[in-house]
Each structure stands twice: as structure tokens, then as C-alpha cells.
Amino acid sequence: MEGIVDLLIYILKGLIIGVVASAPMGPVGVLCIRRTIKKGRVYGLVTGAGAALSDLFYALLTGYGLSLISLFTNENNVFWVKIIGGAMLLAFGIYMFRTGPKVNTHPESKTKGSLLRNFLTSFFITLANPAIIFLFIALFNMLAPFVGAEETYLIGAGYAAIVVGAMLWWLFITYIINKMSSNFGQKGIKRLNRTIGVFVITISVVYMLLTLCGINIIGEGIPTDETAACALHIEA
């Protein structure tokens, strides 16, 4: 039973990372919306799939990089690692809210092109944006998705869940765009980006407050001096 619970926790963490990493309306997000409107939902989904595969690459890079760093990190430092992760995500949310997406960054050709071509262009556009690795570092620091996993299948399930989470986001966004294509322009994209920014800001602030109080929603809590201080404050 414990193994099933652990598996579900790793899957849940992967899904959260996949959705949050895909949600920002960067160049690929705008490209997905434009292709959905001009070429159809299938082309939008293929564009999202290319971005999801690139996200997996950055997730693997981040995960293995942080696993090496964790060898030199003791339990007392985990608290600050999570706070830094929350602060990075907060900064990213503020950036999303204040900065509008660049709609004309990647103009589309007049022909639809093959699905493979649409997939590959999306993959390489995302891959050429190394700034996304900072988002993964923030998410990995916050959720510590695969820390303590002794079984390979748990880690594999977690990384697979990142791709599934990303695709769930692209399924959702292409469905919305497909239904509102006639009324979804640049203002709609900017409004969506600001909404996502507010969501990310809220999640990061709540997470840091919970961390300060030693409350861990997913996984085991981390005993710190701040935990005791918060507990005494609540009891008072």
C-alpha cells in the first residue's frame, strides 16, 4: 500500500510541474494558439507535444543536476532551498504578469506544413529558450519531486507525469482557443498570461508561507526552528 501511495505522490508532483512549466504564454504558447486558430486544433496539439518533449529534456537536466547538488546538501539547508525555489517562482509569476507575450516573434508560413514539421519547430523553439530551466529549478526546489525515490519506476513515473501534465495543459488551451477562436486575439493572450501570472504568484506565496510554518502538503515535512516558532504562535 505504501508503494502505491509513493507512486501517486510522484505522479502528482510530476503533473503539477508539467502544467506549471507549460502554462506561461511564451513564444511556443503564442505559436500554439496561432496554429490552433489558423490550422486547426490538431496542429496546436502537435505544437504542444513538441514543447512537452523539450520540457522533458530540461526536466531531466534539472533533476540530475540537482541530484548531484543534493549530495552536498544537509537537512538544515533543505528549508532554504525550498524558500529560494518559492522566491524564484514568485519572481517568474511577477514577470509573467507584467510582461506581455510577443505575438509576432515566430511568423507562420502560409501553408500548414506536415505535422512532423510543426512538432519539430515547436521542439527546437522551446529548446532554444534555456531560460525555462530556471522555472524547472524553482519547481524542483519547491516540490523536490524525486528525492528519496529508491525505485527506478517511481522516478520514471514522475518524469512521465511531467509530459502528461504538459499535454493536459495543451489539451485544455487548444480546446478553449478552438471554441473562442473568433474572439481570442492579442488582448486575449495578454489577459490569459496575466491570469496565469496571478495564479503562479498566489501559489508561490502560499507555498513559502506553508514552508515557513513547516507544513508540507506533498511529502514529509522538514523539521526546522521556524516550524517550532510557528507552532508556538498558533497555539498562543
Side-chain angles (χ1 to χ4, degrees):
M1 184 66 182
E2 185 178 349
I4 296 177
V5 173
D6 288 340
L7 177 62
L8 292 176
I9 288 176
Y10 287 122
I11 290 175
L12 178 58
K13 289 182 177 183
L15 289 173
I16 293 172
I17 291 173
V19 171
V20 175
S22 301
M25 285 291 104
V28 173
V30 176
L31 190 63
C32 176
I33 291 175
R34 293 176 62 191
R35 285 178 174 175
T36 301
I37 294 174
K38 295 182 178 181
K39 300 181 179 182
R41 191 183 179 194
V42 173
Y43 284 86
L45 285 175
V46 168
T47 301
L53 183 61
S54 184
D55 287 345
L56 177 60
F57 169 79
Y58 279 116
L60 289 168
L61 186 65
T62 304
Y64 284 108
L66 292 180
S67 66
L68 294 176
I69 296 174
S70 67
L71 297 175
F72 307 96
T73 304
N74 56 44
E75 188 177 88
N76 295 326
N77 293 333
V78 173
F79 171 83
W80 294 109
V81 168
K82 289 194 170 188
I83 289 295
I84 292 172
M88 290 176 65
L89 193 64
L90 174 62
F92 190 80
I94 294 173
Y95 175 80
M96 286 173 57
F97 181 83
R98 298 185 62 182
T99 306
K102 298 179 181 179
V103 178
N104 296 320
T105 302
H106 299 282
E108 281 294 283
S109 61
K110 295 180 179 180
T111 59
K112 285 187 175 182
S114 66
L115 292 176
L116 178 60
R117 179 180 180 276
N118 283 262
F119 174 87
L120 290 176
T121 54
S122 172
F123 172 79
F124 286 112
I125 288 172
T126 307
L127 198 65
N129 182 25
I132 195 173
I133 199 169
F134 292 104
L135 177 57
F136 276 106
I137 290 174
L139 292 169
F140 271 60
N141 281 345
M142 287 175 60
L143 297 176
F146 312 122
V147 171
E150 298 178 355
E151 303 292 341
T152 304
Y153 77 91
L154 291 176
I155 298 176
Y159 280 111
I162 291 176
V163 178
V164 173
M167 288 309 302
L168 286 175
W169 169 256
W170 295 121
L171 280 167
F172 167 75
I173 198 66
T174 53
Y175 174 80
I176 296 298
I177 299 305
N178 198 45
K179 293 294 183 181
M180 302 174 56
S181 58
S182 58
N183 300 316
F184 204 94
Q186 185 173 352
K187 289 184 178 179
I189 296 174
K190 188 174 183 179
R191 192 179 300 116
L192 177 62
N193 211 45
R194 286 191 169 184
T195 302
I196 296 170
V198 170
F199 175 76
V200 172
I201 291 170
T202 303
I203 291 297
S204 59
V205 169
V206 171
Y207 179 85
M208 285 191 289
L209 289 175
L210 291 176
T211 301
L212 287 171
C213 292
I215 302 172
N216 206 343
I217 299 176
I218 303 176
E220 298 180 358
I222 302 172
T224 62
D225 294 338
E226 286 81 359
T227 303
C230 186
L232 290 172
H233 179 71
I234 293 174
E235 289 177 1

